[in-house]
Amino acid sequence: MTILITAGPTREPLDPVRYLSNRSSGKMGYALAAAASAIGHRVLLISGPTNLDIPSGVDFVPVESAADMYQAVATRIGKCELAIFAAAVADYRPANFASDKIKKTDDVLTVDFVRNPDILGSARKEMGFEGILVGFAAETQNLEENARHKLTRKKCDFVVANDVSRRDIGFDSNDNEILLVYPDHSQPLPRDSKEHLAHHILEAALKLRPLPSS
Ligand code: PMT
């Protein structure tokens, strides 16, 4: 099976030396890529900037901004049977890119932001993806309820919800604690290493694979 995985943060440039980003280390997405590659799948890892080593055997596509990630996904997802979106994509980017470094002037600097494309939310309709679609939901409150909204809105088969208000799991930690949210039920997976949880997430996704017709 060919599996597309997004990972890491995006960087939204403000001027040649500054950008808006987030605390994603890429560990969750890279653990998924390593787990999928280890069991013999072809993996396309589309990743924002991280300090991690590229897992062996994976086809690696480095990107910076959400717009770059959108393009990278849109041109490749058609060849994949499973797509897992673990990246922390910036929902907004600065409305204007200053081609020169912004100078200090007044005490307050006001920056306008505009919406970035929703990559996961575009997979079904705009990109016509018909394979197994797994999203993530990074929440600080109402974990299951908010994840369930994302499941429906983004037309996923299931969503991996995590509580990103905690420092011991979620962003930039070695562990996670997740809730797999399906249309008709949810399954909690207790705190564990991202490597172990990656195997569980993959197993859950691969179970949804349609059996080959005889
Ligand atoms: O990278 P780590 O340090 O290991 O941390 C892991 C993690 C916390 C980043 C990961 O477990 C996680 O929760 N990833 C999703 C982060 C996120 O952006 O969640 P969200 O609830 O804002 O987005 C929902 C889903 O839509 C996600 O699958 C996201 O990849 C996708 N999305 C969001 C916005 C956007 N413009 N395009 C997208 O594709």
PDB file of all heavy atoms in Angstrom, residues 6 8-9 23-29 66 85-91 116-121 134-139 150 154 160 162 164 170-173 176 194, ligand 1:
ATOM      1  N   THR A   6       1.525  13.465   6.523  1.00  0.00           N
ATOM      2  CA  THR A   6       2.036  14.826   6.732  1.00  0.00           C
ATOM      3  C   THR A   6       2.525  14.931   8.174  1.00  0.00           C
ATOM      4  O   THR A   6       1.977  14.294   9.073  1.00  0.00           O
ATOM      5  CB  THR A   6       0.988  15.920   6.451  1.00  0.00           C
ATOM      6  OG1 THR A   6      -0.007  15.909   7.489  1.00  0.00           O
ATOM      7  CG2 THR A   6       0.334  15.756   5.089  1.00  0.00           C
ATOM      8  N   GLY A   8       5.022  17.503  11.196  1.00  0.00           N
ATOM      9  CA  GLY A   8       5.773  18.714  11.537  1.00  0.00           C
ATOM     10  C   GLY A   8       4.948  19.991  11.442  1.00  0.00           C
ATOM     11  O   GLY A   8       3.750  19.965  11.158  1.00  0.00           O
ATOM     12  N   PRO A   9       5.610  21.110  11.685  1.00  0.00           N
ATOM     13  CA  PRO A   9       4.923  22.409  11.639  1.00  0.00           C
ATOM     14  C   PRO A   9       4.993  22.985  10.227  1.00  0.00           C
ATOM     15  O   PRO A   9       5.744  22.485   9.393  1.00  0.00           O
ATOM     16  CB  PRO A   9       5.800  23.267  12.558  1.00  0.00           C
ATOM     17  CG  PRO A   9       7.185  22.737  12.293  1.00  0.00           C
ATOM     18  CD  PRO A   9       7.038  21.250  12.038  1.00  0.00           C
ATOM     19  N   ARG A  23       4.753  24.641  17.866  1.00  0.00           N
ATOM     20  CA  ARG A  23       5.706  23.798  18.609  1.00  0.00           C
ATOM     21  C   ARG A  23       5.785  22.353  18.101  1.00  0.00           C
ATOM     22  O   ARG A  23       6.398  21.510  18.747  1.00  0.00           O
ATOM     23  CB  ARG A  23       5.343  23.794  20.098  1.00  0.00           C
ATOM     24  CG  ARG A  23       5.530  25.149  20.775  1.00  0.00           C
ATOM     25  CD  ARG A  23       5.555  25.017  22.292  1.00  0.00           C
ATOM     26  NE  ARG A  23       4.347  24.459  22.854  1.00  0.00           N
ATOM     27  CZ  ARG A  23       4.222  23.242  23.397  1.00  0.00           C
ATOM     28  NH1 ARG A  23       5.245  22.428  23.462  1.00  0.00           N
ATOM     29  NH2 ARG A  23       3.067  22.837  23.887  1.00  0.00           N
ATOM     30  N   SER A  24       5.197  22.045  16.954  1.00  0.00           N
ATOM     31  CA  SER A  24       5.280  20.654  16.477  1.00  0.00           C
ATOM     32  C   SER A  24       6.730  20.268  16.190  1.00  0.00           C
ATOM     33  O   SER A  24       7.441  20.959  15.463  1.00  0.00           O
ATOM     34  CB  SER A  24       4.437  20.488  15.209  1.00  0.00           C
ATOM     35  OG  SER A  24       4.694  19.231  14.630  1.00  0.00           O
ATOM     36  N   SER A  25       7.135  19.118  16.759  1.00  0.00           N
ATOM     37  CA  SER A  25       8.498  18.604  16.530  1.00  0.00           C
ATOM     38  C   SER A  25       8.559  17.666  15.335  1.00  0.00           C
ATOM     39  O   SER A  25       9.639  17.330  14.858  1.00  0.00           O
ATOM     40  CB  SER A  25       8.936  17.812  17.766  1.00  0.00           C
ATOM     41  OG  SER A  25       8.074  16.678  17.929  1.00  0.00           O
ATOM     42  N   GLY A  26       7.394  17.163  14.919  1.00  0.00           N
ATOM     43  CA  GLY A  26       7.348  16.155  13.850  1.00  0.00           C
ATOM     44  C   GLY A  26       7.390  14.724  14.375  1.00  0.00           C
ATOM     45  O   GLY A  26       7.218  13.774  13.606  1.00  0.00           O
ATOM     46  N   LYS A  27       7.586  14.543  15.699  1.00  0.00           N
ATOM     47  CA  LYS A  27       7.805  13.180  16.230  1.00  0.00           C
ATOM     48  C   LYS A  27       6.637  12.234  15.936  1.00  0.00           C
ATOM     49  O   LYS A  27       6.836  11.064  15.607  1.00  0.00           O
ATOM     50  CB  LYS A  27       8.047  13.228  17.741  1.00  0.00           C
ATOM     51  CG  LYS A  27       9.423  13.769  18.103  1.00  0.00           C
ATOM     52  CD  LYS A  27       9.589  13.888  19.619  1.00  0.00           C
ATOM     53  CE  LYS A  27      10.882  14.598  19.977  1.00  0.00           C
ATOM     54  NZ  LYS A  27      10.974  14.929  21.405  1.00  0.00           N
ATOM     55  N   MET A  28       5.397  12.730  16.087  1.00  0.00           N
ATOM     56  CA  MET A  28       4.229  11.860  15.873  1.00  0.00           C
ATOM     57  C   MET A  28       4.174  11.389  14.418  1.00  0.00           C
ATOM     58  O   MET A  28       4.011  10.204  14.135  1.00  0.00           O
ATOM     59  CB  MET A  28       2.949  12.615  16.262  1.00  0.00           C
ATOM     60  CG  MET A  28       1.690  11.780  16.328  1.00  0.00           C
ATOM     61  SD  MET A  28       1.655  10.607  17.700  1.00  0.00           S
ATOM     62  CE  MET A  28       1.796   9.059  16.821  1.00  0.00           C
ATOM     63  N   GLY A  29       4.316  12.336  13.484  1.00  0.00           N
ATOM     64  CA  GLY A  29       4.241  11.983  12.055  1.00  0.00           C
ATOM     65  C   GLY A  29       5.401  11.096  11.619  1.00  0.00           C
ATOM     66  O   GLY A  29       5.213  10.154  10.845  1.00  0.00           O
ATOM     67  N   ALA A  66       2.146  26.270   4.602  1.00  0.00           N
ATOM     68  CA  ALA A  66       0.916  25.497   4.363  1.00  0.00           C
ATOM     69  C   ALA A  66       0.614  25.422   2.868  1.00  0.00           C
ATOM     70  O   ALA A  66       0.158  24.389   2.373  1.00  0.00           O
ATOM     71  CB  ALA A  66      -0.249  26.149   5.102  1.00  0.00           C
ATOM     72  N   PHE A  85      -2.891  12.661   8.337  1.00  0.00           N
ATOM     73  CA  PHE A  85      -2.492  14.064   8.442  1.00  0.00           C
ATOM     74  C   PHE A  85      -2.118  14.406   9.889  1.00  0.00           C
ATOM     75  O   PHE A  85      -2.969  14.808  10.686  1.00  0.00           O
ATOM     76  CB  PHE A  85      -3.635  14.967   7.961  1.00  0.00           C
ATOM     77  CG  PHE A  85      -3.821  14.966   6.465  1.00  0.00           C
ATOM     78  CD1 PHE A  85      -4.334  13.847   5.826  1.00  0.00           C
ATOM     79  CD2 PHE A  85      -3.469  16.059   5.706  1.00  0.00           C
ATOM     80  CE1 PHE A  85      -4.500  13.831   4.445  1.00  0.00           C
ATOM     81  CE2 PHE A  85      -3.623  16.059   4.324  1.00  0.00           C
ATOM     82  CZ  PHE A  85      -4.137  14.939   3.689  1.00  0.00           C
ATOM     83  N   ALA A  86      -0.826  14.244  10.217  1.00  0.00           N
ATOM     84  CA  ALA A  86      -0.353  14.540  11.577  1.00  0.00           C
ATOM     85  C   ALA A  86       0.290  15.922  11.681  1.00  0.00           C
ATOM     86  O   ALA A  86       0.686  16.336  12.778  1.00  0.00           O
ATOM     87  CB  ALA A  86       0.647  13.471  12.011  1.00  0.00           C
ATOM     88  N   ALA A  87       0.426  16.625  10.563  1.00  0.00           N
ATOM     89  CA  ALA A  87       1.102  17.933  10.589  1.00  0.00           C
ATOM     90  C   ALA A  87       0.284  18.963  11.356  1.00  0.00           C
ATOM     91  O   ALA A  87      -0.947  18.911  11.381  1.00  0.00           O
ATOM     92  CB  ALA A  87       1.336  18.426   9.168  1.00  0.00           C
ATOM     93  N   ALA A  88       1.001  19.901  11.968  1.00  0.00           N
ATOM     94  CA  ALA A  88       0.363  21.047  12.619  1.00  0.00           C
ATOM     95  C   ALA A  88       0.463  22.219  11.632  1.00  0.00           C
ATOM     96  O   ALA A  88       1.473  22.920  11.569  1.00  0.00           O
ATOM     97  CB  ALA A  88       1.067  21.370  13.928  1.00  0.00           C
ATOM     98  N   VAL A  89      -0.591  22.341  10.830  1.00  0.00           N
ATOM     99  CA  VAL A  89      -0.601  23.327   9.739  1.00  0.00           C
ATOM    100  C   VAL A  89      -1.134  24.656  10.279  1.00  0.00           C
ATOM    101  O   VAL A  89      -2.179  24.676  10.936  1.00  0.00           O
ATOM    102  CB  VAL A  89      -1.517  22.838   8.593  1.00  0.00           C
ATOM    103  CG1 VAL A  89      -1.473  23.818   7.423  1.00  0.00           C
ATOM    104  CG2 VAL A  89      -1.136  21.434   8.149  1.00  0.00           C
ATOM    105  N   ALA A  90      -0.433  25.743   9.994  1.00  0.00           N
ATOM    106  CA  ALA A  90      -0.923  27.058  10.446  1.00  0.00           C
ATOM    107  C   ALA A  90      -2.231  27.373   9.733  1.00  0.00           C
ATOM    108  O   ALA A  90      -2.319  27.264   8.504  1.00  0.00           O
ATOM    109  CB  ALA A  90       0.115  28.127  10.128  1.00  0.00           C
ATOM    110  N   ASP A  91      -3.246  27.730  10.503  1.00  0.00           N
ATOM    111  CA  ASP A  91      -4.540  28.059   9.894  1.00  0.00           C
ATOM    112  C   ASP A  91      -4.503  29.412   9.190  1.00  0.00           C
ATOM    113  O   ASP A  91      -5.308  29.674   8.302  1.00  0.00           O
ATOM    114  CB  ASP A  91      -5.635  28.082  10.975  1.00  0.00           C
ATOM    115  CG  ASP A  91      -5.966  26.676  11.461  1.00  0.00           C
ATOM    116  OD1 ASP A  91      -5.997  25.761  10.619  1.00  0.00           O
ATOM    117  OD2 ASP A  91      -6.164  26.499  12.674  1.00  0.00           O
ATOM    118  N   ASN A 116      -5.279  30.085   5.590  1.00  0.00           N
ATOM    119  CA  ASN A 116      -4.569  29.133   4.745  1.00  0.00           C
ATOM    120  C   ASN A 116      -5.565  28.094   4.231  1.00  0.00           C
ATOM    121  O   ASN A 116      -6.605  27.871   4.853  1.00  0.00           O
ATOM    122  CB  ASN A 116      -3.483  28.414   5.559  1.00  0.00           C
ATOM    123  CG  ASN A 116      -2.148  29.112   5.469  1.00  0.00           C
ATOM    124  OD1 ASN A 116      -1.840  29.772   4.470  1.00  0.00           O
ATOM    125  ND2 ASN A 116      -1.344  28.982   6.511  1.00  0.00           N
ATOM    126  N   PRO A 117      -5.220  27.399   3.145  1.00  0.00           N
ATOM    127  CA  PRO A 117      -6.106  26.308   2.705  1.00  0.00           C
ATOM    128  C   PRO A 117      -6.132  25.198   3.748  1.00  0.00           C
ATOM    129  O   PRO A 117      -5.127  24.950   4.416  1.00  0.00           O
ATOM    130  CB  PRO A 117      -5.449  25.809   1.409  1.00  0.00           C
ATOM    131  CG  PRO A 117      -4.035  26.274   1.470  1.00  0.00           C
ATOM    132  CD  PRO A 117      -4.031  27.535   2.308  1.00  0.00           C
ATOM    133  N   ASP A 118      -7.299  24.564   3.909  1.00  0.00           N
ATOM    134  CA  ASP A 118      -7.423  23.400   4.800  1.00  0.00           C
ATOM    135  C   ASP A 118      -7.053  22.169   3.959  1.00  0.00           C
ATOM    136  O   ASP A 118      -7.834  21.734   3.104  1.00  0.00           O
ATOM    137  CB  ASP A 118      -8.861  23.318   5.322  1.00  0.00           C
ATOM    138  CG  ASP A 118      -9.042  22.166   6.299  1.00  0.00           C
ATOM    139  OD1 ASP A 118      -8.170  21.271   6.358  1.00  0.00           O
ATOM    140  OD2 ASP A 118     -10.064  22.154   7.001  1.00  0.00           O
ATOM    141  N   ILE A 119      -5.866  21.644   4.194  1.00  0.00           N
ATOM    142  CA  ILE A 119      -5.356  20.570   3.319  1.00  0.00           C
ATOM    143  C   ILE A 119      -6.181  19.297   3.522  1.00  0.00           C
ATOM    144  O   ILE A 119      -6.702  18.715   2.558  1.00  0.00           O
ATOM    145  CB  ILE A 119      -3.858  20.310   3.603  1.00  0.00           C
ATOM    146  CG1 ILE A 119      -3.079  21.630   3.556  1.00  0.00           C
ATOM    147  CG2 ILE A 119      -3.298  19.320   2.572  1.00  0.00           C
ATOM    148  CD1 ILE A 119      -1.662  21.530   4.097  1.00  0.00           C
ATOM    149  N   LEU A 120      -6.315  18.882   4.803  1.00  0.00           N
ATOM    150  CA  LEU A 120      -7.115  17.692   5.097  1.00  0.00           C
ATOM    151  C   LEU A 120      -8.560  17.885   4.617  1.00  0.00           C
ATOM    152  O   LEU A 120      -9.151  16.992   4.005  1.00  0.00           O
ATOM    153  CB  LEU A 120      -7.090  17.416   6.608  1.00  0.00           C
ATOM    154  CG  LEU A 120      -7.989  16.308   7.129  1.00  0.00           C
ATOM    155  CD1 LEU A 120      -7.652  14.957   6.513  1.00  0.00           C
ATOM    156  CD2 LEU A 120      -7.916  16.217   8.659  1.00  0.00           C
ATOM    157  N   GLY A 121      -9.091  19.077   4.873  1.00  0.00           N
ATOM    158  CA  GLY A 121     -10.486  19.363   4.488  1.00  0.00           C
ATOM    159  C   GLY A 121     -10.687  19.396   2.981  1.00  0.00           C
ATOM    160  O   GLY A 121     -11.832  19.358   2.507  1.00  0.00           O
ATOM    161  N   VAL A 134      -7.277   9.661   7.482  1.00  0.00           N
ATOM    162  CA  VAL A 134      -7.144   9.790   8.936  1.00  0.00           C
ATOM    163  C   VAL A 134      -6.633  11.191   9.259  1.00  0.00           C
ATOM    164  O   VAL A 134      -5.561  11.596   8.791  1.00  0.00           O
ATOM    165  CB  VAL A 134      -6.165   8.735   9.496  1.00  0.00           C
ATOM    166  CG1 VAL A 134      -5.996   8.900  11.002  1.00  0.00           C
ATOM    167  CG2 VAL A 134      -6.652   7.327   9.158  1.00  0.00           C
ATOM    168  N   GLY A 135      -7.417  11.925  10.052  1.00  0.00           N
ATOM    169  CA  GLY A 135      -6.987  13.256  10.485  1.00  0.00           C
ATOM    170  C   GLY A 135      -6.541  13.224  11.928  1.00  0.00           C
ATOM    171  O   GLY A 135      -6.745  12.223  12.641  1.00  0.00           O
ATOM    172  N   PHE A 136      -5.938  14.281  12.372  1.00  0.00           N
ATOM    173  CA  PHE A 136      -5.637  14.479  13.783  1.00  0.00           C
ATOM    174  C   PHE A 136      -6.504  15.641  14.270  1.00  0.00           C
ATOM    175  O   PHE A 136      -7.002  16.441  13.467  1.00  0.00           O
ATOM    176  CB  PHE A 136      -4.161  14.820  13.999  1.00  0.00           C
ATOM    177  CG  PHE A 136      -3.293  13.608  14.217  1.00  0.00           C
ATOM    178  CD1 PHE A 136      -3.061  12.709  13.189  1.00  0.00           C
ATOM    179  CD2 PHE A 136      -2.699  13.362  15.455  1.00  0.00           C
ATOM    180  CE1 PHE A 136      -2.266  11.582  13.380  1.00  0.00           C
ATOM    181  CE2 PHE A 136      -1.901  12.246  15.661  1.00  0.00           C
ATOM    182  CZ  PHE A 136      -1.680  11.359  14.632  1.00  0.00           C
ATOM    183  N   ALA A 137      -6.692  15.743  15.579  1.00  0.00           N
ATOM    184  CA  ALA A 137      -7.357  16.907  16.166  1.00  0.00           C
ATOM    185  C   ALA A 137      -6.548  17.305  17.389  1.00  0.00           C
ATOM    186  O   ALA A 137      -6.379  16.506  18.316  1.00  0.00           O
ATOM    187  CB  ALA A 137      -8.794  16.577  16.551  1.00  0.00           C
ATOM    188  N   ALA A 138      -5.986  18.512  17.347  1.00  0.00           N
ATOM    189  CA  ALA A 138      -5.200  19.038  18.475  1.00  0.00           C
ATOM    190  C   ALA A 138      -6.129  19.963  19.248  1.00  0.00           C
ATOM    191  O   ALA A 138      -6.492  21.024  18.761  1.00  0.00           O
ATOM    192  CB  ALA A 138      -3.988  19.797  17.941  1.00  0.00           C
ATOM    193  N   GLU A 139      -6.529  19.540  20.454  1.00  0.00           N
ATOM    194  CA  GLU A 139      -7.546  20.278  21.203  1.00  0.00           C
ATOM    195  C   GLU A 139      -7.039  20.658  22.593  1.00  0.00           C
ATOM    196  O   GLU A 139      -6.205  19.948  23.167  1.00  0.00           O
ATOM    197  CB  GLU A 139      -8.820  19.424  21.362  1.00  0.00           C
ATOM    198  CG  GLU A 139      -9.391  18.886  20.061  1.00  0.00           C
ATOM    199  CD  GLU A 139      -9.865  19.963  19.090  1.00  0.00           C
ATOM    200  OE1 GLU A 139     -10.091  21.103  19.528  1.00  0.00           O
ATOM    201  OE2 GLU A 139      -9.982  19.666  17.897  1.00  0.00           O
ATOM    202  N   LYS A 150     -14.530  17.737  13.589  1.00  0.00           N
ATOM    203  CA  LYS A 150     -13.505  17.680  12.525  1.00  0.00           C
ATOM    204  C   LYS A 150     -13.692  16.424  11.672  1.00  0.00           C
ATOM    205  O   LYS A 150     -13.539  16.459  10.454  1.00  0.00           O
ATOM    206  CB  LYS A 150     -12.099  17.724  13.133  1.00  0.00           C
ATOM    207  CG  LYS A 150     -11.763  19.128  13.607  1.00  0.00           C
ATOM    208  CD  LYS A 150     -10.406  19.278  14.265  1.00  0.00           C
ATOM    209  CE  LYS A 150     -10.281  20.733  14.755  1.00  0.00           C
ATOM    210  NZ  LYS A 150      -9.185  20.960  15.678  1.00  0.00           N
ATOM    211  N   LYS A 154     -14.344  17.260   7.844  1.00  0.00           N
ATOM    212  CA  LYS A 154     -13.226  16.960   6.933  1.00  0.00           C
ATOM    213  C   LYS A 154     -13.367  15.588   6.279  1.00  0.00           C
ATOM    214  O   LYS A 154     -12.474  15.133   5.592  1.00  0.00           O
ATOM    215  CB  LYS A 154     -11.904  17.102   7.693  1.00  0.00           C
ATOM    216  CG  LYS A 154     -11.728  18.519   8.305  1.00  0.00           C
ATOM    217  CD  LYS A 154     -10.346  18.766   8.860  1.00  0.00           C
ATOM    218  CE  LYS A 154     -10.285  20.110   9.585  1.00  0.00           C
ATOM    219  NZ  LYS A 154      -8.998  20.781   9.466  1.00  0.00           N
ATOM    220  N   VAL A 160      -7.612  11.151  15.100  1.00  0.00           N
ATOM    221  CA  VAL A 160      -6.779  10.887  16.278  1.00  0.00           C
ATOM    222  C   VAL A 160      -6.754  12.175  17.103  1.00  0.00           C
ATOM    223  O   VAL A 160      -6.122  13.154  16.710  1.00  0.00           O
ATOM    224  CB  VAL A 160      -5.340  10.509  15.860  1.00  0.00           C
ATOM    225  CG1 VAL A 160      -4.493  10.199  17.084  1.00  0.00           C
ATOM    226  CG2 VAL A 160      -5.336   9.357  14.865  1.00  0.00           C
ATOM    227  N   ASN A 162      -5.867  14.489  20.340  1.00  0.00           N
ATOM    228  CA  ASN A 162      -4.944  14.604  21.490  1.00  0.00           C
ATOM    229  C   ASN A 162      -5.110  15.945  22.177  1.00  0.00           C
ATOM    230  O   ASN A 162      -5.473  16.946  21.558  1.00  0.00           O
ATOM    231  CB  ASN A 162      -3.479  14.312  21.140  1.00  0.00           C
ATOM    232  CG  ASN A 162      -2.913  14.946  19.891  1.00  0.00           C
ATOM    233  OD1 ASN A 162      -1.796  14.647  19.493  1.00  0.00           O
ATOM    234  ND2 ASN A 162      -3.654  15.830  19.239  1.00  0.00           N
ATOM    235  N   VAL A 164      -3.663  19.001  23.626  1.00  0.00           N
ATOM    236  CA  VAL A 164      -2.391  19.727  23.484  1.00  0.00           C
ATOM    237  C   VAL A 164      -2.220  20.813  24.559  1.00  0.00           C
ATOM    238  O   VAL A 164      -1.324  21.647  24.454  1.00  0.00           O
ATOM    239  CB  VAL A 164      -2.231  20.316  22.064  1.00  0.00           C
ATOM    240  CG1 VAL A 164      -2.035  19.208  21.053  1.00  0.00           C
ATOM    241  CG2 VAL A 164      -3.420  21.194  21.664  1.00  0.00           C
ATOM    242  N   GLY A 170       1.445  15.201  23.433  1.00  0.00           N
ATOM    243  CA  GLY A 170       1.091  16.147  22.365  1.00  0.00           C
ATOM    244  C   GLY A 170       2.312  16.784  21.737  1.00  0.00           C
ATOM    245  O   GLY A 170       3.264  16.095  21.354  1.00  0.00           O
ATOM    246  N   PHE A 171       2.304  18.108  21.675  1.00  0.00           N
ATOM    247  CA  PHE A 171       3.382  18.833  21.002  1.00  0.00           C
ATOM    248  C   PHE A 171       4.740  18.590  21.667  1.00  0.00           C
ATOM    249  O   PHE A 171       4.886  18.726  22.885  1.00  0.00           O
ATOM    250  CB  PHE A 171       3.122  20.346  21.057  1.00  0.00           C
ATOM    251  CG  PHE A 171       2.183  20.830  19.983  1.00  0.00           C
ATOM    252  CD1 PHE A 171       0.849  21.072  20.268  1.00  0.00           C
ATOM    253  CD2 PHE A 171       2.635  21.071  18.693  1.00  0.00           C
ATOM    254  CE1 PHE A 171      -0.019  21.536  19.285  1.00  0.00           C
ATOM    255  CE2 PHE A 171       1.776  21.530  17.706  1.00  0.00           C
ATOM    256  CZ  PHE A 171       0.444  21.757  18.001  1.00  0.00           C
ATOM    257  N   ASP A 172       5.731  18.274  20.844  1.00  0.00           N
ATOM    258  CA  ASP A 172       7.133  18.249  21.236  1.00  0.00           C
ATOM    259  C   ASP A 172       7.425  17.388  22.472  1.00  0.00           C
ATOM    260  O   ASP A 172       8.267  17.744  23.295  1.00  0.00           O
ATOM    261  CB  ASP A 172       7.619  19.698  21.470  1.00  0.00           C
ATOM    262  CG  ASP A 172       9.153  19.764  21.411  1.00  0.00           C
ATOM    263  OD1 ASP A 172       9.760  18.823  20.885  1.00  0.00           O
ATOM    264  OD2 ASP A 172       9.722  20.749  21.925  1.00  0.00           O
ATOM    265  N   SER A 173       6.711  16.276  22.606  1.00  0.00           N
ATOM    266  CA  SER A 173       7.032  15.348  23.698  1.00  0.00           C
ATOM    267  C   SER A 173       7.234  13.968  23.068  1.00  0.00           C
ATOM    268  O   SER A 173       6.839  13.747  21.919  1.00  0.00           O
ATOM    269  CB  SER A 173       5.894  15.304  24.715  1.00  0.00           C
ATOM    270  OG  SER A 173       4.732  14.868  24.068  1.00  0.00           O
ATOM    271  N   ASN A 176       2.423  10.327  23.841  1.00  0.00           N
ATOM    272  CA  ASN A 176       1.115  10.904  23.544  1.00  0.00           C
ATOM    273  C   ASN A 176       0.045  10.067  24.233  1.00  0.00           C
ATOM    274  O   ASN A 176       0.328   8.955  24.727  1.00  0.00           O
ATOM    275  CB  ASN A 176       0.882  10.976  22.028  1.00  0.00           C
ATOM    276  CG  ASN A 176       0.041  12.174  21.638  1.00  0.00           C
ATOM    277  OD1 ASN A 176      -0.544  12.838  22.504  1.00  0.00           O
ATOM    278  ND2 ASN A 176      -0.041  12.458  20.354  1.00  0.00           N
ATOM    279  N   LYS A 194       5.207   7.694  21.325  1.00  0.00           N
ATOM    280  CA  LYS A 194       4.625   7.960  20.002  1.00  0.00           C
ATOM    281  C   LYS A 194       4.893   6.791  19.052  1.00  0.00           C
ATOM    282  O   LYS A 194       4.076   6.491  18.180  1.00  0.00           O
ATOM    283  CB  LYS A 194       5.163   9.279  19.447  1.00  0.00           C
ATOM    284  CG  LYS A 194       4.525  10.481  20.159  1.00  0.00           C
ATOM    285  CD  LYS A 194       5.001  11.828  19.674  1.00  0.00           C
ATOM    286  CE  LYS A 194       4.224  12.916  20.431  1.00  0.00           C
ATOM    287  NZ  LYS A 194       4.724  14.272  20.192  1.00  0.00           N
TER     288      LYS A 194
HETATM  289  O1  PMT B   1       4.829  16.976  15.991  1.00  0.00           O
HETATM  290  P1  PMT B   1       4.773  16.554  17.459  1.00  0.00           P
HETATM  291  O2  PMT B   1       5.613  17.450  18.342  1.00  0.00           O
HETATM  292  O3  PMT B   1       5.060  15.079  17.623  1.00  0.00           O
HETATM  293  O4  PMT B   1       3.280  16.787  17.975  1.00  0.00           O
HETATM  294  C1  PMT B   1       2.244  15.989  17.486  1.00  0.00           C
HETATM  295  C2  PMT B   1       0.988  16.830  17.195  1.00  0.00           C
HETATM  296  C3  PMT B   1       0.432  17.410  18.490  1.00  0.00           C
HETATM  297  C4  PMT B   1       1.350  17.983  16.210  1.00  0.00           C
HETATM  298  C5  PMT B   1      -0.023  15.836  16.501  1.00  0.00           C
HETATM  299  O5  PMT B   1      -0.323  14.798  17.399  1.00  0.00           O
HETATM  300  C6  PMT B   1      -1.295  16.580  16.105  1.00  0.00           C
HETATM  301  O6  PMT B   1      -2.223  16.775  16.875  1.00  0.00           O
HETATM  302  N1  PMT B   1      -1.348  17.002  14.804  1.00  0.00           N
HETATM  303  C7  PMT B   1      -2.444  17.845  14.267  1.00  0.00           C
HETATM  304  C8  PMT B   1      -2.185  19.284  14.664  1.00  0.00           C
HETATM  305  C9  PMT B   1      -3.270  20.214  14.144  1.00  0.00           C
HETATM  306  O7  PMT B   1      -2.953  21.127  13.413  1.00  0.00           O
HETATM  307  O8  PMT B   1      -4.493  19.911  14.495  1.00  0.00           O
HETATM  308  P2  PMT B   1      -5.838  20.736  14.125  1.00  0.00           P
HETATM  309  O9  PMT B   1      -6.879  20.244  15.050  1.00  0.00           O
HETATM  310  O10 PMT B   1      -5.537  22.212  14.070  1.00  0.00           O
HETATM  311  O11 PMT B   1      -6.146  20.271  12.638  1.00  0.00           O
HETATM  312  C10 PMT B   1      -7.027  19.191  12.339  1.00  0.00           C
HETATM  313  C11 PMT B   1      -6.492  18.378  11.185  1.00  0.00           C
HETATM  314  O12 PMT B   1      -6.517  19.162   9.976  1.00  0.00           O
HETATM  315  C12 PMT B   1      -5.066  17.858  11.349  1.00  0.00           C
HETATM  316  O13 PMT B   1      -4.998  16.562  10.779  1.00  0.00           O
HETATM  317  C13 PMT B   1      -4.234  18.836  10.517  1.00  0.00           C
HETATM  318  O14 PMT B   1      -3.067  18.225   9.974  1.00  0.00           O
HETATM  319  C14 PMT B   1      -5.221  19.212   9.404  1.00  0.00           C
HETATM  320  N2  PMT B   1      -5.070  20.583   8.863  1.00  0.00           N
HETATM  321  C15 PMT B   1      -5.289  21.664   9.667  1.00  0.00           C
HETATM  322  C16 PMT B   1      -5.240  22.942   9.132  1.00  0.00           C
HETATM  323  C17 PMT B   1      -4.940  23.082   7.759  1.00  0.00           C
HETATM  324  N3  PMT B   1      -4.865  24.305   7.207  1.00  0.00           N
HETATM  325  N4  PMT B   1      -4.717  22.008   6.992  1.00  0.00           N
HETATM  326  C18 PMT B   1      -4.764  20.752   7.525  1.00  0.00           C
HETATM  327  O15 PMT B   1      -4.556  19.756   6.814  1.00  0.00           O
END
